[in-house]
Amino acid sequence: FEVNLVKPTHTLAHHTMFRNQYDTDVTVWSPEGRLLQVEYAMESVKQGSACVGLRSSNYVVIGALKRSVNEMSSHQKKIMEIDSHMGIAIAGLTADARSLAKWMRNECLNHKYVYGESMPSKRLCDDLADRHQRTTQTYVRRPYGVGLLVGAYDEATGPHLYQTCPSGNVYEYFATSIGARSQSAKTYLEKHYEGFDNTEKEELIMHALRALSGCVQGDGELNKDNGSIAVVGKDQKFILIENDELSVYLDKLDVEGGNGEGEGGNDGDAMEES
């Protein structure tokens, strides 16, 4: 009797199937020690519209690009107020961000009811990071597909800028950016962040707009419809600057001929606060 030994053919589909058998559940580790579902969620942040954040010794400014589905639709809201001393800019799934914003507002209200003062931003961001992390250890949940820039001013410790991500990590920055084409903004911020400490509110807003203008897609430009800025700081409750109020600053930017300064640069580690 005759035996035919056939050498198996390893097609591209075979390799793809082998790789993807580790990304069907968030609790399954790949052989390389990766949680692929978490990485996919972080990728959704990179695909979201760009957001920037920067702070001085007295103020925090966050900015975001708003998207519209088409010319006939309104632009999606990308900056949300959490409390009078805190707000967030979002990149990723807006629906996930609304869910997290509702939870953050409830936490601030509960803290104010119990202790009679505003909730410290560091405590809230740590709790938020824990909320992100829990979804990476439970098979019935999926990671939140959104990254947040949290700008806050605490009476005891001053201004703070935090970044959270779907993996459950939280970082504090002097300045940073997230979302699509955000590298241009990072490059601008890396060049200028060392001078932000003593910068006044108006100039800090202009820095945010210069950084944000480099993130606009294609031949588009930053305008009052797709731009959004928020400020919070010392003796300054959280305010949102949009539409006609934003036009005043955009006119100044046009006079300068200002735009984000090129692309490239590194990942912005120099801006991270230890």
Side-chain angles (χ1 to χ4, degrees):
F1 106 164
E2 186 176 346
V3 178
N4 292 323
L5 298 176
V6 180
K7 186 177 181 180
T9 302
H10 295 282
T11 63
L12 178 62
H14 173 82
H15 286 295
T16 303
M17 186 181 298
F18 179 80
R19 180 177 61 84
N20 286 347
Q21 66 180 316
Y22 299 104
D23 66 4
T24 56
D25 197 301
V26 72
T27 61
V28 177
W29 291 97
S30 76
E32 294 83 21
R34 297 159 61 188
L35 291 173
L36 296 176
Q37 285 285 329
V38 177
E39 292 183 17
Y40 296 162
M42 294 173 71
E43 190 64 28
S44 74
V45 178
K46 296 178 183 178
Q47 300 299 324
S49 55
C51 300
V52 301
L54 55 158
R55 71 173 180 84
S56 66
S57 57
N58 291 317
Y59 299 98
V60 181
V61 174
I62 53 178
L65 287 177
K66 297 185 289 186
R67 284 179 178 171
S68 62
V69 179
N70 55 52
E71 294 180 357
M72 295 180 290
S73 71
S74 62
H75 287 74
Q76 280 189 322
K77 192 175 182 180
K78 291 293 182 179
I79 296 181
M80 304 177 187
E81 181 178 358
I82 301 301
D83 201 351
S84 60
H85 73 299
M86 185 186 308
I88 60 173
I90 65 172
L93 298 180
T94 306
D96 284 9
R98 286 200 304 268
S99 175
L100 289 174
K102 181 179 179 181
W103 174 84
M104 292 172 75
R105 288 168 183 149
N106 285 334
E107 290 295 298
C108 286
L109 285 172
N110 290 338
H111 188 278
K112 190 172 289 186
Y113 178 78
V114 174
Y115 299 103
E117 61 182 14
S118 298
M119 187 172 189
S121 58
K122 175 65 174 172
R123 181 181 301 176
L124 180 59
C125 287
D126 285 344
D127 291 345
L128 176 61
D130 290 343
R131 192 173 181 84
H132 274 292
Q133 193 276 334
R134 279 195 294 272
T135 65
T136 69
Q137 273 190 302
T138 310
Y139 74 95
V140 296
R141 300 288 300 277
R142 66 162 175 80
Y144 289 101
V146 66
L148 307 181
L149 292 184
V150 183
Y153 184 87
D154 297 331
E155 290 297 329
T157 57
H160 297 280
L161 174 66
Y162 299 98
Q163 176 190 337
T164 69
C165 67
S167 65
N169 287 323
V170 58
Y171 309 96
E172 183 168 10
Y173 283 91
F174 293 109
T176 191
S177 63
I178 58 175
R181 296 173 296 279
S182 61
Q183 187 58 58
S184 176
K186 281 185 180 178
T187 302
Y188 176 86
L189 294 171
E190 286 168 2
K191 291 180 179 178
H192 298 88
Y193 81 95
E194 291 179 340
F196 290 165
D197 200 40
N198 297 317
T199 304
E200 292 300 320
K201 178 178 68 174
E202 300 295 313
E203 183 58 27
L204 211 59
I205 293 173
M206 293 304 298
H207 278 301
L209 290 174
R210 293 183 196 114
L212 203 59
S213 62
C215 304
V216 181
Q217 184 176 8
D219 297 329
E221 61 180 18
L222 186 65
N223 56 53
K224 67 177 184 178
D225 295 321
N226 66 7
S228 184
I229 294 288
V231 186
V232 66
K234 186 176 182 180
D235 300 324
Q236 171 68 71
K237 291 186 176 181
F238 183 90
I239 57 168
L240 187 61
I241 303 173
E242 291 181 319
N243 303 322
D244 292 337
E245 294 179 356
L246 187 62
S247 295
V248 177
Y249 298 97
L250 292 174
D251 290 343
K252 293 181 183 178
L253 195 65
D254 288 338
V255 171
E256 295 177 0
N259 215 341
E261 296 187 7
E263 297 185 3
N266 55 38
D267 293 332
D269 291 339
M271 295 181 290
E272 187 175 340
E273 186 176 67
S274 57

